[in-house]
Amino acid sequence: MKSFSDSYKDAGVDVTAGYKSVELMKQYVKRTMTNGVLSGIGGFGGLFELDLTGIEKPVLVSGTDGVGTKIKIAFLLDKHDTVGIDCVAMCVNDIICCGAKPQFFLDYIACGKNIPEKIASIVSGVAEGCVQAGCALIGGETAEHPGLMPEDEYDLAGFSVGVVDKNKIIDPEKQKSGDVMIAIKSSGVHSNGFSLVRKVFTVNEQNLARHYSELGKTLGDTLLTPTRIYVKAVMELISKVNVKSISHITGGGFYENIPRSLPTGLSAKIERNAVQVLPIFDVIAKTGNIPERDMFNTFNMGVGMTVVVDKNDVDAAIAAIKAAGEDAYVLGELVESEEGVIIC
């Protein structure tokens, strides 16, 4: 007997819409299938067989995150096919910081009303993110929550698992004074600091449609630019040189994230002029009259990730990153200090 419930539908939950969403999203999920996937979507759990070839002591590494209030921009622009990329990026960019390779991903979408076409559009972005990260989308959940949120709104979160050989986990304690910090460029604001962004611009449809000459596009298009996924670049990098630490620059900017990958007694000394700040951050600072210290403590400022290598490996590291399709440059060096980050 086909599953349906008029009583549940009258209460605001249409189970048949959920089934349609699954059917629509299957074409996108199919793009992410890797050799380890043992089950399709629709079951109670996603099955994945790890390929441990060449890995002596496998260690699983997990990460979970959401897209935050950047989703508000998607609501206003009625564009939902990119926030899924952000969701994947926020998870996989975290787990690669210890050298782990992402294996699979699961998403969770909570919505006021299940509109199958919108849900499928969201998942198309998740699938694209998984393709960029080289991992499989093996499951997820879409939950209809009438009364908890407006019918046209949703929230999106995700979870990823990766694997790394215990002997190859990146150990920040091996860093020393004189090591060089390299910046890998971001694509923009990524998925952090949007509460401040929305306050600065008093975000609405009219303001998002404004074209800025500094940006070369509208504010809305700039802000909705997906977070870069650095998996392929980092995997290529660690196969070529000895990487001593990696930081994912998210909420909290330089001052919060960089020290997380530094041992006690070492700080990152960064020349302000070395930072290749993207135009959107200059616009944010100018429009909101935000002090530079706060900007560097909130946003990535154009630096999506930082990696630390020996000074003799700098050229090879930058070449490896660029060969994988990302842009990179020398950001600073490590010095003996307890300050964490020194921008001078």
Side-chain angles (χ1 to χ4, degrees):
M1 179 181 294
K2 187 177 181 180
S3 173
F4 69 91
S5 171
D6 288 335
S7 298
Y8 207 7
K9 185 175 182 179
D10 289 342
V13 178
D14 185 357
V15 294
T16 60
Y19 305 145
K20 183 178 180 181
S21 295
V22 172
E23 287 303 312
L24 291 175
M25 69 178 67
K26 282 183 177 179
Q27 60 179 311
Y28 305 118
V29 176
K30 186 177 180 180
R31 296 181 59 217
T32 76
M33 294 297 98
T34 61
N35 292 333
V37 179
L38 300 182
S39 62
I41 60 173
F44 289 101
L47 304 179
F48 191 90
E49 181 179 16
L50 285 173
D51 180 1
L52 300 178
T53 304
I55 300 179
E56 297 180 3
K57 297 181 179 181
V59 175
L60 296 180
V61 183
S62 60
T64 185
D65 209 336
V67 186
T69 61
K70 182 175 184 174
I71 284 182
K72 285 283 191 179
I73 311 299
F75 296 164
L76 289 167
L77 296 179
D78 194 23
K79 180 174 172 54
H80 311 283
D81 60 348
T82 60
V83 289
I85 300 175
D86 292 295
C87 190
V88 175
M90 297 307 294
C91 297
V92 298
N93 285 347
D94 274 354
I95 66 178
I96 61 176
C97 288
C98 66
K101 184 180 186 302
Q103 301 294 308
F104 59 82
F105 187 86
L106 292 91
D107 61 10
Y108 178 83
I109 305 170
C111 56
K113 181 178 177 60
N114 189 329
I115 303 173
E117 292 76 13
K118 180 185 286 188
I119 299 300
S121 182
I122 297 168
V123 174
S124 73
V126 175
E128 172 60 27
C130 288
V131 169
Q132 292 183 24
C135 66
L137 177 56
I138 64 171
E141 172 71 9
T142 301
E144 200 168 15
H145 291 163
L148 186 62
M149 60 180 69
E151 288 190 353
D152 60 345
E153 294 190 2
Y154 58 86
D155 196 11
L156 172 64
F159 177 88
S160 185
V161 172
V163 65
V164 61
D165 195 322
K166 187 176 182 179
N167 300 317
K168 296 181 180 179
I169 295 174
I170 295 174
D171 181 8
E173 294 298 324
K174 295 181 179 180
Q175 295 174 101
K176 67 181 187 301
S177 179
D179 285 342
V180 176
M181 178 168 285
I182 295 171
I184 307 181
K185 288 187 177 182
S186 74
S187 56
V189 185
H190 281 185
S191 299
N192 301 102
F194 273 85
S195 293
L196 180 54
V197 167
R198 290 186 300 112
K199 178 183 178 182
V200 166
F201 293 107
T202 313
V203 167
N204 54 41
E205 292 180 12
Q206 181 178 353
N207 289 341
L208 290 176
R210 179 181 173 183
H211 187 279
Y212 285 77
S213 59
E214 305 98 307
L215 306 177
K217 60 179 71 173
T218 65
L219 176 64
D221 287 342
T222 301
L223 294 179
L224 209 55
T225 300
T227 306
R228 294 294 297 177
I229 291 177
Y230 299 108
V231 175
K232 293 180 180 178
V234 169
M235 293 298 105
E236 176 69 14
L237 175 63
I238 62 180
S239 73
K240 294 291 192 298
V241 302
N242 176 32
V243 177
K244 298 188 175 185
S245 77
I246 304 177
S247 290
H248 182 200
I249 311 303
T250 56
F254 283 40
Y255 288 104
E256 180 178 317
N257 292 288
I258 291 177
R260 295 167 64 182
S261 65
L262 297 175
T264 302
L266 286 182
S267 296
K269 183 179 180 181
I270 298 169
E271 288 191 23
R272 172 61 181 83
N273 291 337
V275 185
Q276 298 180 18
V277 178
L278 294 176
I280 181 58
F281 298 109
D282 291 329
V283 173
I284 292 171
K286 181 179 178 181
T287 304
N289 193 28
I290 301 173
E292 186 169 83
R293 176 63 167 74
D294 288 356
M295 290 294 296
F296 275 90
N297 210 155
T298 306
F299 302 107
N300 67 62
M301 301 300 284
V303 179
M305 301 198 87
T306 61
V307 297
V308 173
V309 299
D310 186 271
K311 61 182 179 181
N312 294 319
D313 291 329
V314 171
D315 290 343
I318 292 178
I321 294 168
K322 290 185 174 181
E326 303 296 340
D327 200 359
Y329 60 91
V330 172
L331 185 64
E333 65 175 348
L334 302 192
V335 297
E336 293 183 3
S337 168
E338 300 290 344
E339 292 188 50
V341 175
I342 305 167
I343 299 179
C344 55

